[in-house]
């Protein structure tokens, strides 16, 4: 089974304790028990996260794994430290 979907005006909550990432639009692809997310204009508290990606490997199984490739174009301030410490 393979599927592809496009979403607009998205909020993603990676951790319950963190504010959401706001995303203009996102493509989600499912193939071989893997979900891949590609984002357009993602921001976290008005900080650009352009180039960031996420995937869930083993989706639907007992050993699923979230993989994040975060790109944040700002200095290493308190907000960024909060994100890093949450993981």
């Amino acid at each position: 089974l393979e599927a592809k979907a496009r979403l607009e005006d998205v909020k993603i909550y990676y951790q319950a304790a963190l504010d959401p990432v706001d995303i203009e639009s996102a493509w989600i692809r499912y193939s071989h028990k893997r979900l891949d997310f590609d984002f357009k204009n993602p921001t976290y508290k008005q900080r650009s996260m352009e180039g960031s990606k996420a995937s869930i490997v083993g989706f639907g199984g007992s050993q699923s794994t979230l993989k994040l490739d975060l790109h944040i174009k700002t200095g290493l301030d308190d907000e960024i430290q909060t994100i890093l410490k949450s993981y």
Side-chain angles (χ1 to χ4, degrees), residues 1 6 16 23-25 29-30 53-54 56 64 72-73:
L1 174 68
R6 183 170 187 260
I23 300 167
E24 182 179 318
S25 64
R29 285 185 304 283
Y30 175 80
K53 295 182 179 184
I56 301 173
S64 60
I72 301 174
K73 299 176 182 177

Side-chain angles (χ1 to χ4, degrees), residues 2-16:
E2 293 186 9
K4 185 175 182 179
R6 183 170 187 260
L7 305 173
E8 294 189 25
D9 195 23
V10 179
K11 291 189 182 297
I12 294 181
Y13 294 83
Y14 286 110
Q15 297 267 359

Side-chain angles (χ1 to χ4, degrees), residues 8-74:
E8 294 189 25
D9 195 23
V10 179
K11 291 189 182 297
I12 294 181
Y13 294 83
Y14 286 110
Q15 297 267 359
L18 297 176
D19 288 339
V21 175
D22 294 307
I23 300 167
E24 182 179 318
S25 64
W27 280 103
I28 302 172
R29 285 185 304 283
Y30 175 80
S31 180
H32 305 289
K33 294 188 178 186
R34 179 183 173 116
L35 280 175
D36 290 303
F37 302 84
D38 291 316
F39 309 123
K40 179 179 179 186
N41 297 328
T43 59
Y44 180 75
K45 293 189 174 185
Q46 288 108 19
R47 291 162 176 81
S48 174
M49 294 180 70
E50 195 64 37
S52 295
K53 295 182 179 184
S55 61
I56 301 173
V57 179
F59 183 75
S62 62
Q63 296 292 325
S64 60
T65 302
L66 173 64
K67 294 187 176 191
L68 297 174
D69 181 12
L70 297 178
H71 297 244
I72 301 174
K73 299 176 182 177
T74 185

Side-chain angles (χ1 to χ4, degrees), residues 18 44-45 47 72 74-86:
L18 297 176
Y44 180 75
K45 293 189 174 185
R47 291 162 176 81
I72 301 174
T74 185
L76 194 59
D77 61 13
D78 289 340
E79 296 298 340
I80 304 308
Q81 290 285 351
T82 300
I83 293 171
L84 296 174
K85 288 177 184 176
S86 74

